[in-house]
Every structure is written in structure tokens, then in C-alpha cells.
């Protein structure tokens, strides 16, 4: 643990850190472009030059390791002169694009110019070297060569992380430029990460470009629901719409990265088919009704089936897209309130999806299979449920986040479940199953709820609600709480934190975990292999 002094402040830090990391620990920013903690150090941008006493000249902080007795100045006149010089140099051929550049608001060239430079350019506009603009280089990535500061973060990402090496630096001197090899576009499943790590507006996202200024966006910390890896993300949203997902650092799950499939997962959650009001089947049509009427109607149906055929005439299936809290609340509703143990999990992946790879992507596209397993909800065997229907033992089926008809196909669904007397759907979208239901209760998608997912390794991570569900839709836990209240008159909490506390108290695998402790990196289930 070497002791060193940065800007007059003595600190003791872990051995092996570089000066950027050491300074960060006392809240001192050393500006940098090429350094990225998950990539090798190339030291080519020189933005991180600092004065180190006894060194003959300024040192690059990214490639200078801390040492006992080191004295570093990040604010000295020498350091400041170097920072101005580097920025002036980087800006010589930079286009005057800021007003129309999509990176504005999160561009390190803009930010550092305002913080460390602020001098008028001495270089005539007409002499700037012109390079390519708005070049689609494959996947979802647009390249603007003029804006590039040649930090080589993108080339290193493709060389060191995906090992696909699609990008390289071509030409020489001030004609240096980033490009793809002729006829070989960027075409790997993690390409979007270079958009995140590019410190300027040289690499931007085709889908996001010009859709929203970044300073209007709000952020919610969450977890990608695209597969059972559960990459930590930030949801960038505005007025009830998601504009993009960005990976959030979690050393236990995804480091700094996410896949492109996950990056676009939100587009499936905000389409025209979203359910916005409770619906009831009325003369072969689904008609909207108030929540209070809907839950009273459903409670009374549950009461009738219980009375006439016993509690096990009512069953439920829950998709592994549900949060831990939703699954626990539904399990308790079935077991304690209704008195039926007929509850099972559906962990379904549609055909044609990508399989496991050696990096992040998992073949199982359900974010919470492990969570539901850990609370003892068994996998659903459709044939067993179907047999119970055929035998007249199962009369009412509650489906939460489960498009049973879409999974089975119409013929099989009608064969196995056509004899059901009452079908209830709690879901986000007007799925094929919802069209067949007697009652439909609209609930929020995972970005619209507080809660948690447990990934395939048993890491429990927290989701924060970005915004409420659309229209009259409620969060899944609120819908279950209202239904429970309509059945037995007991108030139930719809607060994710409170439900998680109950879950941790009664499910052994979750014992000792608190909802608050799930931020920022999650906690592993008891006994889960790391
Ligand atoms: S495109 Fe971006 S990440 Fe790549 S070298 Fe240029 S500035 Fe760096
Ligand atoms: S690997 Fe899975 S969880 Fe991670 S971003 Fe991709 S789809 Fe989402
Ligand atoms: S960050 Fe140190 S040289 Fe680029």
C-alpha cells in the first residue's frame, strides 16, 4: 500500500494502481481519452499528462503506477499548459459539429475544452483536413472520421474483447483515420460497446441518432431482461419512453459491456400492442373495465371455483420474465390466499434466438429462471396441466407473463386448455393468449417496476422503476396486491422492498439478503457458485 501525495493530499492506495485511478479515489479527475480500465494501456492521447516531482518531464498518468513517496501535481502550471496544448492539438482538425453532433452533452472533447482549454483556435477553418462523415460501418454503428481523436479504444475493444478486429487506423500523419477493412463491416454481437467507449462523437448509434438530446434523458439503474445473464444497465428514458440502454459496470456480471441484442431489448417493450386497461370478455369481445370492478369480478370467480370444486381447481403459471417479487407475491396468493399449490414456472425461449456464447449471451432468454427456481416454483409441464384440465380438476388458470398460446400453437392450446372454464391473463401485451382470456389484467414491463432478477449464476440484482406502466396498467405486485385484497379483504403491500424482505425471510436461498444491499452490484444467493 504505497503512500503518495496528489495535489498536496497524502493518500495510501492499493499497489498497482495508475495515477488516474489513485487520483479518482480522492475525487481528483485527471482528464483522459485513450485510457479505459478494461483495455490495455496505449498512452497515445497524452491528455492525462501530469507533473510528477523528480521526473525529468511530464508523465502520462494512465501508464504511471503509484509508488511510495511520489508527489503528483494535477493542477500545476506545467500540467495546465500541457493540457491546453494537447487539446489545441486535438482540435486542430476537429470539425465545428457540436451543434449538430449527437454526442453533445456527453462528449469528452466538449467537456475538456470547457474545463481545461477555453482558448480560441489559432488554426484557420479552411485548412482543416476533411475526412469521411456519417459512414454506416455495419451493425448499428455510424462512423464520423473527422470527429475521431484516434484514441484507439474502439480498435482495442475489437482486438482484445471480441477478438474480431474489424476496425483499424489507416493512413499517416494528420490523415490518420479509423476505418473498416474494405468490404468487411463491423458485424459482431457486441459492436454497440464501441459507441459507449468512444469518448467523442466519432462512433454513434444509428437507432439513437437525432432522436433525443442526451440532456433531456433521465436514468434508472436496472438489469437487462434479454437473457439469463442479467447485465447491469442504465435505462435512459423520457416521458414514459425508453430511448436507449447503456451497460452499467458490474464486475460480478458484465464488467462494462452488454450485447447488441440486449441493447435493443426495450424496443419489444413499447409497441402498439401494450395493454392499458383491464379487460373482460363480453359477448366474444374484450371490453375495458375499472380495476376495482375487475378484481372484484375475479375474486368472486375464484370464490365460486373454490367453493364448487376446491382450491386446486385454480392454478397458475408464471413466466421467468417475472421479477422475484412478482413470483413470490403470486406464489403466496396461490398457496396462502387461494389454498392451491398448483403453480409452475414457464421459462420459454422462442426458436431462432442466439445460443450461449463464450462471453455474455445466454441461450435462455428469461432473466429470472434461477430466481423462480430458488423459491421452489417448479417448471411447468403443459401436458400435466392439460391432463388436469381434461380430468376436470383444473377449472381456472391464471397466466402471468406467459403467452401460452403463442408458445404452444393454437391447435395444441385448444386441445389441452380449450376446456378451461376461466382463463386469466396478467401481462404487458395483447398476446394471442390474452385475446382468448376471460379476464386480462394489464401490468408493467420490467423497466416499469421496482424489483429484482436473479441471474443464472444466482446473482440477485435490483431493478428500479424508470416510469410507471402505461395507461391504467399497474405493476405486477400492485395487481396481485389488489386481487388479494379483493379476495380476503386483507391489505397487502405493493412495495418491492417490503415484498423482498418477506421473501428473504421465508425463502432459504434468499436468507440474509436485503433489498438495499442489492445496489450496485447485487448479492449472490446462499450457496450460489461465484
Ligand atoms: S472512433 Fe472513437 S473510440 Fe475509435 S479511435 Fe476514434 S475517438 Fe477513439
Ligand atoms: S447478454 Fe443477455 S442480459 Fe446481457 S445485454 Fe445481452 S441480452 Fe441482455
Ligand atoms: S489517457 Fe493517458 S495517454 Fe491517453
Amino acid at each position: 500500500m504505497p503512500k503518495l501525495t496528489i495535489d498536496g493530499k497524502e493518500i495510501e492506495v492499493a499497489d498497482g494502481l495508475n495515477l488516474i485511478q489513485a487520483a479518482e479515489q480522492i475525487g481528483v479527475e485527471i482528464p483522459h481519452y485513450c485510457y479505459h480500465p478494461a483495455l490495455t494501456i496505449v498512452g497515445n492521447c497524452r491528455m492525462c499528462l501530469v507533473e510528477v516531482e523528480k521526473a525529468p518531464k511530464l508523465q502520462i498518468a494512465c501508464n504511471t503506477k503509484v509508488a511510495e513517496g511520489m508527489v503528483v501535481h494535477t493542477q500545476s502550471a506545467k500540467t495546465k499548459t500541457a493540457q491546453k496544448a494537447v487539446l489545441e492539438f486535438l482540435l486542430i482538425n476537429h470539425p465545428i459539429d457540436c451543434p449538430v453532433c449527437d454526442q453533445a452533452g456527453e462528449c469528452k472533447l466538449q467537456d475538456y475544452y470547457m474545463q481545461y482549454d477555453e482558448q480560441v483556435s489559432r488554426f484557420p477553418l479552411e485548412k482543416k483536413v476533411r475526412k469521411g462523415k456519417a459512414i454506416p460501418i455495419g451493425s448499428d454503428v455510424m462512423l464520423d472520421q473527422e470527429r475521431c481523436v484516434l484514441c484507439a479504444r474502439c480498435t482495442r475493444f475489437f482486438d482484445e474483447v471480441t477478438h474480431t478486429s474489424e476496425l483499424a487506423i489507416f493512413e499517416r500523419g494528420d490523415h490518420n483515420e479509423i476505418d473498416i477493412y474494405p468490404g468487411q463491416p463491423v458485424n459482431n454481437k457486441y459492436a454497440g460497446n464501441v459507441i459507449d467507449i468512444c469518448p467523442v462523437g466519432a462512433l454513434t448509434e444509428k437507432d439513437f441518432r437525432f432522436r433525443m438530446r442526451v440532456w433531456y434523458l433521465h436514468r434508472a439503474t436496472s438489469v437487462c431482461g434479454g437473457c439469463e445473464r442479467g447485465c447491469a444497465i442504465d435505462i435512459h428514458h423520457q416521458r414514459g419512453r425508453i430511448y436507449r440502454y447503456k451497460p452499467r459496470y458490474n464486475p460480478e456480471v458484465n464488467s462494462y459491456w452488454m450485447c447488441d441484442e440486449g441493447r435493443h431489448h426495450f424496443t419489444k417493450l413499447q409497441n402498439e400492442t401494450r395493454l392499458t386497461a383491464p379487460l373482460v370478455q363480453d359477448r366474444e369481445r374484450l371490453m375495458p373495465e375499472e380495476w376495482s370492478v375487475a378484481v372484484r369480478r375475479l375474486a368472486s370467480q375464484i370464490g365460486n371455483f373454490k367453493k364448487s370444486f376446491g382450491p386446486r381447481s385454480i392454478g397458475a403459471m408464471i413466466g421467468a420474465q417475472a421479477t422475484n417479487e412478482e413470483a413470490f407475491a403470486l406464489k403466496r396468493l396461490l398457496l396462502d390466499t387461494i389454498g392451491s399449490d398448483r403453480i409452475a414456472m414457464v421459462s420459454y425461449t422462442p426458436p431462432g434466438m442466439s445460443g450461449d456464447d463464450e462471453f455474455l449471451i445466454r441461450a435462455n432468454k428469461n432473466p429470472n429462471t434461477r430466481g423462480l427456481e430458488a423459491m421452489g416454483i417448479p417448471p411447468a409441464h403443459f401436458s400435466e396441466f392439460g391432463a388436469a384440465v381434461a380430468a376436470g380438476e383444473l377449472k381456472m388458470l391464471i397466466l402471468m407473463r406467459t403467452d401460452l398460446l403463442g408458445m404452444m400453437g393454437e391447435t395444441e392450446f385448444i386441445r389441452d386448455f380449450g376446456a378451461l372454464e376461466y382463463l386469466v391473463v396478467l401481462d404487458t401485451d395483447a398476446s394471442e393468449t390474452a385475446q382468448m382470456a376471460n379476464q386480462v389484467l394489464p401490468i408493467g414491463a420490467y423497466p416499469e417496476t421496482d424489483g429484482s432478477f436473479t441471474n443464472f449464476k444466482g446473482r440477485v440484482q435490483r431493478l428500479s422503476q424508470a416510469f410507471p406502466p402505461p395507461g391504467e396498467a399497474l405493476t405486477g405486485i400492485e395487481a396481485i396486491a389488489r386481487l388479494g385484497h379483493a379476495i380476503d379483504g386483507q391489505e397487502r403491500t405493493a412495495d418491492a422492498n417490503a415484498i423482498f424482505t418477506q421473501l428473504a425471510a421465508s425463502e432459504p436461498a434468499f436468507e440474509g439478503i436485503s433489498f438495499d444491499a442489492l445496489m450496485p452490484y447485487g448479492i449472490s444467493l446462499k450457496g450460489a457458485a461465484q
Side-chain angles (χ1 to χ4, degrees):
M1 296 279 280
K3 270 194 198 135
L4 71 160
T5 307
I6 299 180
D7 295 343
K9 196 165 180 183
E10 194 175 81
I11 52 164
E12 195 171 342
V13 295
D15 210 3
L17 293 191
N18 65 40
L19 291 181
I20 294 180
Q21 295 169 312
E24 230 169 50
Q25 296 196 354
I26 51 165
V28 171
E29 179 194 58
I30 299 180
H32 56 274
Y33 290 112
C34 66
Y35 170 70
H36 187 284
L39 303 173
T40 54
I41 291 174
V42 286
N44 68 6
C45 75
R46 319 310 282 181
M47 191 62 228
C48 66
L49 284 168
V50 288
E51 192 180 348
V52 179
E53 282 185 17
K54 294 192 183 143
K57 54 182 185 166
L58 297 182
Q59 301 293 306
I60 50 170
C62 62
N63 203 25
T64 305
K65 295 270 191 286
V66 292
E68 184 64 34
M70 201 176 235
V71 182
V72 183
H73 301 285
T74 75
Q75 305 291 327
S76 67
K78 272 191 189 170
T79 304
K80 286 185 176 173
T81 307
Q83 288 167 339
K84 273 181 179 282
V86 170
L87 279 165
E88 184 175 26
F89 182 69
L90 287 175
L91 286 164
I92 282 180
N93 286 311
H94 194 81
I96 317 291
D97 273 2
C98 299
V100 294
C101 176
D102 232 36
Q103 191 81 0
E106 52 188 7
C107 170
K108 285 295 169 200
L109 210 43
Q110 272 190 353
D111 294 352
Y112 290 167
Y113 174 79
M114 300 307 290
Q115 276 172 274
Y116 303 101
D117 193 11
E118 273 201 302
Q119 56 187 323
V120 177
S121 174
R122 291 183 278 169
F123 201 75
L125 204 54
E126 62 281 4
K127 288 205 171 164
K128 281 182 187 281
V129 176
R130 307 305 307 267
K131 295 178 189 167
K133 298 195 81 65
I135 308 167
I137 54 170
S139 290
D140 190 23
V141 188
M142 289 291 262
L143 167 65
D144 187 305
Q145 293 168 321
E146 283 183 349
R147 297 178 188 163
C148 170
V149 293
L150 296 161
C151 69
R153 279 185 176 194
C154 55
T155 55
R156 276 176 290 151
F157 176 80
F158 287 147
D159 289 345
E160 297 166 13
V161 181
T162 60
H163 306 287
T164 47
S165 300
E166 291 103 333
L167 287 178
I169 298 177
F170 296 88
E171 304 297 346
R172 287 195 282 176
D174 59 5
H175 283 72
N176 253 191
E177 62 194 19
I178 284 286
D179 211 341
I180 48 172
Y181 295 96
Q184 293 179 41
V186 174
N187 201 7
N188 71 71
K189 290 177 175 170
Y190 297 91
N193 292 291
V194 293
I195 297 160
D196 304 330
I197 60 174
C198 178
V200 298
L203 297 173
T204 50
E205 189 176 346
K206 275 187 212 163
D207 275 2
F208 178 72
R209 277 163 68 88
F210 309 123
R211 290 191 58 220
M212 178 58 67
R213 280 306 201 179
V214 298
W215 49 85
Y216 292 128
L217 292 172
H218 304 280
R219 286 178 190 207
T221 52
S222 192
V223 174
C224 172
C227 80
E228 62 174 354
R229 171 77 57 183
C231 294
I233 56 165
D234 280 323
I235 297 175
H236 293 214
H237 61 98
Q238 214 246 355
R239 292 191 190 175
R241 271 206 94 68
I242 299 172
Y243 284 84
R244 60 183 184 180
Y245 279 177
K246 288 278 185 191
R248 179 167 53 87
Y249 176 64
N250 187 336
E252 303 298 330
V253 178
N254 55 308
S255 180
Y256 294 88
W257 321 119
M258 74 186 299
C259 78
D260 288 359
E261 232 169 65
R263 193 177 288 272
H264 297 122
H265 192 242
F266 66 88
T267 55
K268 297 179 184 161
L269 311 176
Q270 42 193 25
N271 46 36
E272 298 299 313
T273 54
R274 284 299 299 267
L275 294 161
T276 55
L279 303 170
V280 62
Q281 197 76 240
D282 182 15
R283 278 164 283 173
E284 312 242 319
R285 287 180 63 200
L286 283 169
M287 301 300 290
E289 64 180 349
E290 299 272 321
W291 268 98
S292 53
V293 180
V295 290
R296 268 205 310 273
R297 180 195 303 282
L298 183 48
S300 128
Q301 291 290 348
I302 289 171
N304 292 342
F305 282 112
K306 257 179 91 165
K307 204 163 145 207
S308 311
F309 307 103
R312 293 195 86 243
S313 65
I314 302 158
M317 288 187 203
I318 178 162
Q321 307 276 333
T323 63
N324 289 319
E325 294 71 16
E326 288 170 350
F328 180 73
L330 187 66
K331 180 180 162 183
R332 298 292 17 134
L333 186 89
L334 258 284
L335 260 63
D336 305 341
T337 311
I338 297 175
S340 167
D341 60 356
R342 234 189 255 279
I343 176 167
M345 163 185 65
V346 177
S347 182
Y348 172 77
T349 296
M353 306 290 281
S354 50
D356 287 349
D357 71 5
E358 285 168 4
F359 190 22
L360 299 174
I361 297 172
R362 300 287 301 172
N364 180 347
K365 302 302 173 192
N366 299 274
N368 203 23
T369 306
R370 181 79 186 265
L372 271 59
E373 276 169 4
M375 58 186 88
I377 301 178
H381 298 295
F382 296 161
S383 53
E384 278 174 26
F385 270 78
V389 176
E393 293 163 11
L394 181 60
K395 303 279 185 189
M396 174 192 265
L397 185 60
I398 300 171
L399 296 175
M400 185 169 193
R401 300 197 190 280
T402 307
D403 179 12
L404 204 51
L405 195 156
M407 293 171 204
M408 300 178 75
E410 193 170 345
T411 314
E412 282 75 12
F413 178 79
I414 301 287
R415 183 195 64 208
D416 289 356
F417 295 99
L420 273 172
E421 288 186 22
Y422 213 79
L423 179 64
V424 183
V425 164
L426 282 86
D427 215 337
T428 53
D429 285 74
S431 63
E432 292 177 88
T433 316
Q435 310 290 343
M436 310 277 280
N438 297 80
Q439 274 193 261
V440 179
L441 302 180
I443 55 171
Y446 67 90
E448 297 155 7
T449 185
D450 283 326
S452 60
F453 283 152
T454 309
N455 86 350
F456 73 109
K457 286 189 169 173
R459 194 85 186 167
V460 189
Q461 294 183 91
R462 183 142 149 209
L463 318 170
S464 316
Q465 186 184 49
F467 44 81
E472 301 299 312
L474 298 175
T475 63
I477 46 181
E478 171 88 42
I480 296 168
R482 289 207 193 178
L483 175 59
H485 181 254
I487 296 172
D488 62 11
Q490 303 285 318
E491 285 296 341
R492 285 166 177 75
T493 180
D495 176 63
N497 192 334
I499 295 175
F500 191 88
T501 306
Q502 296 169 5
L503 160 69
S506 69
E507 299 292 345
F510 291 82
E511 193 189 319
I513 305 178
S514 84
F515 196 63
D516 290 336
L518 297 180
M519 286 303 287
Y521 302 140
I523 305 275
S524 289
L525 288 179
K526 226 172 151 188
Q530 297 300 299

